[in-house]
Amino acid sequence: MDVRRRPAAAAGAGAGAAADAPPRPRPAAAAAAAEAADNELVLRPPNLRVAAAAMVAFLAPFSYLAFVHYPLDAALRRSILICGAMSLCGFLVVLRLVPVAARYLLRRGMWGKDINKRGLPMGEIRVPEALGIVVGIVYLVIAILFQHFNFTADSMWLVEYNAALASVCFMILLGFIDDVLDVPWRVKLLLPTIAALPLLMAYAGGTAISIPKPLTSYFGVAVLELGSLYKLFMLLLAVFCTNSINIHAGLNGLEVGQTVIISAAVLIHNVMRIGSSMDIESQQAHAFSIYLVLPFLTTSLALFAFNWYPSSVFVGDTYTYFAGMALAVVGILGHFSETLLLFFLPEVLNFLCSVPQLFKFVPCPRHRLPRFDPHTGLLTGTKDGNLVNIFLRIFGRCTERTLCIRLLIFQALSCLFCFWLRYMITGWYK
């Protein structure tokens, strides 16, 4: 959706005159505008029922596997408990800071109107944009403070841990710049490339891949060393994850909802791999992934409480880029990039369906959104090639909330399919 921004202030008469002039009082018009913004911003209370239900649904199986089903090391359980406690604090902090940040963003003219409610009173409300900046900052603070409880100064994982945080921080900054400047798509593709540089430069792990057993006879080896090509794959994965979440969007709660489901699947996958593996290095890699994704899940759930239909804030490109980079980082450093791509199955399908429009083979509108009928409150699918419109064309007209629920159920089923597929091919594929 379009975002209106406050115009830049007019330049002074001259540098010398500006230096000699006394400080000017705040213009009455600007003060009135700020007061009007404060009066207009009336955020609905966060939907804590939805957020709490999602937290229980996703964290309950993870907690059962980590503390009951698998005999994990006591030190690992202690680290998970500390990370979980800090993550829950992050959930509460985000709930508190989102209304504060929303007020400041509205004052600065960073707001939009919900296109899927055009023609209704809700469609005329100014909704603050780019609230993903709150989640990103709180996440970074938690991840940085957690180092004090888990890593020693000579830890082999510390360099890659901080490099991962540097890439995530870089992506948050570039995403916020995109929200402010509204950069074109060709530039959007470059942003994750820049943000991934700290991770690529600090990566000291293996660059070899295991060849699937059915293909071993064709390659002649069981393990193939890729060298620099592996780092190229890491870069492409980061670019895909960030942009795929960014284009699978447009509904209240869809961007945050899909990342919450994926991150929950990543958590469960990590603890299952730790419990079933006897390789110490593999266990450490998956534990490393848990420490990064657990605070991401809880802070995202807090934003989800505000972004669920009807949304009182928009997450902006800041969140979609941050979410994509965070998930790419945990998949790369946890050494389960293949599984991560399976978790991203709806995003992969959405990207493949979007290729003709993204690469201008067919006309691509600015917003590939369905048509909204204000008289019935239903959405109708257009001919645009994305899952949002494809679901409407297949299953028929429905409300925005119903459509979002269908897409999130599809996301959850895709993650369950990934777990089933890994179980079925274990021992045969690798």
Side-chain angles (χ1 to χ4, degrees):
M1 64 219 33
D2 294 331
V3 178
R4 301 181 185 178
R5 298 177 178 86
R6 187 180 59 174
D20 296 335
R24 291 181 295 178
R26 189 180 186 187
E35 184 179 356
D38 287 345
N39 293 334
E40 183 174 350
L41 178 62
V42 181
L43 287 183
R44 285 181 294 273
N47 196 330
L48 294 179
R49 181 179 298 179
V50 172
M55 183 176 294
V56 171
F58 297 139
L59 291 183
F62 167 74
S63 301
Y64 170 76
L65 292 173
F67 297 101
V68 179
H69 186 73
Y70 292 114
L72 302 187
D73 182 72
L76 175 58
R77 286 181 172 176
R78 173 182 173 273
S79 296
I80 293 177
L81 282 174
I82 294 173
C83 186
M86 297 179 68
S87 300
L88 289 177
C89 291
F91 173 83
L92 298 176
V93 171
V94 172
L95 286 178
R96 177 66 181 86
L97 290 183
V98 164
V100 177
R103 182 169 290 105
Y104 277 97
L105 290 169
L106 191 62
R107 285 181 185 176
R108 298 303 182 267
M110 295 187 65
W111 53 268
K113 294 183 178 180
D114 200 328
I115 296 177
N116 288 330
K117 300 177 181 63
R118 183 176 293 169
L120 298 178
M122 285 191 298
E124 300 303 317
I125 298 175
R126 297 182 180 184
V127 183
E129 277 269 10
L131 266 299
I133 190 70
V134 176
V135 179
I137 292 174
V138 174
Y139 170 81
L140 285 175
V141 171
I142 294 173
I144 292 171
L145 291 177
F146 178 71
Q147 296 181 67
H148 174 73
F149 300 98
N150 192 71
F151 296 107
T152 59
D154 58 347
S155 174
M156 60 177 291
W157 290 99
L158 194 57
V159 173
E160 290 186 353
Y161 187 86
N162 284 315
L165 295 184
S167 290
V168 172
C169 181
F170 216 161
M171 196 71 260
I172 294 170
L173 172 64
L174 295 175
F176 191 71
I177 290 174
D178 184 20
D179 279 327
V180 174
L181 301 181
D182 197 17
V183 299
W185 263 105
R186 60 182 179 274
V187 179
K188 291 178 187 285
L189 294 176
L190 294 176
L191 298 182
T193 305
I194 299 172
L197 290 178
L199 179 63
L200 295 177
M201 296 301 102
Y203 182 75
T207 56
I209 60 171
S210 299
I211 301 299
K213 292 180 180 179
L215 302 178
T216 302
S217 58
Y218 296 98
F219 285 88
V221 293
V223 178
L224 180 64
E225 177 62 43
L226 294 181
S228 298
L229 290 178
Y230 188 84
K231 289 194 173 183
L232 176 61
F233 168 74
M234 291 168 53
L235 176 63
L236 294 177
L237 181 63
V239 173
F240 169 76
C241 289
T242 51
N243 284 286
S244 65
I245 293 178
N246 194 38
I247 64 176
H248 187 35
L251 303 176
N252 290 171
L254 180 57
E255 298 96 321
V256 187
Q258 63 184 298
T259 55
V260 164
I261 293 172
I262 295 173
S263 58
V266 168
L267 266 182
I268 295 172
H269 170 73
N270 281 323
V271 72
M272 290 175 64
R273 294 298 298 165
I274 293 173
S276 61
S277 175
M278 301 301 295
D279 183 7
I280 300 299
E281 185 175 350
S282 174
Q283 290 180 346
Q284 291 177 341
H286 286 287
F288 180 90
S289 177
I290 289 176
Y291 304 148
L292 286 173
V293 79
L294 186 54
F296 171 72
L297 172 60
T298 57
T299 53
S300 295
L301 281 172
L303 181 61
F304 187 62
F306 288 98
N307 188 239
W308 182 243
Y309 182 92
S311 176
S312 56
V313 301
F314 292 145
V315 300
D317 291 342
T318 306
Y319 179 80
T320 56
Y321 285 154
F322 153 64
M325 182 58 70
L327 291 172
V329 161
V330 300
I332 291 170
L333 298 182
H335 305 300
F336 57 93
S337 52
E338 291 179 351
T339 303
L340 182 66
L341 285 176
L342 288 176
F343 289 149
F344 269 79
L345 180 59
E347 288 73 20
V348 172
L349 294 176
N350 185 69
F351 171 74
L352 294 176
C353 294
S354 302
V355 164
Q357 288 186 310
L358 294 179
F359 292 95
K360 305 298 183 182
F361 297 131
V362 297
C364 181
R366 176 179 173 82
H367 301 295
R368 299 187 303 158
L369 295 176
R371 291 190 301 271
F372 175 71
D373 185 352
H375 300 291
T376 61
L378 301 178
L379 297 174
T380 303
T382 65
K383 294 183 179 180
D384 292 315
N386 56 355
L387 285 185
V388 170
N389 286 291
I390 291 174
F391 264 57
L392 286 171
R393 294 201 298 267
I394 293 176
F395 300 107
R397 303 168 67 198
C398 64
T399 63
E400 181 180 1
R401 182 177 181 273
T402 301
L403 177 59
C404 185
I405 291 174
R406 289 175 179 174
L407 289 167
L408 294 182
I409 290 175
F410 179 56
Q411 183 77 60
L413 291 176
S414 299
C415 292
L416 291 175
F417 170 75
C418 173
F419 285 115
W420 174 82
L421 186 63
R422 283 191 58 88
Y423 173 78
M424 293 299 295
I425 66 177
T426 298
W428 171 80
Y429 181 69
K430 284 188 179 179

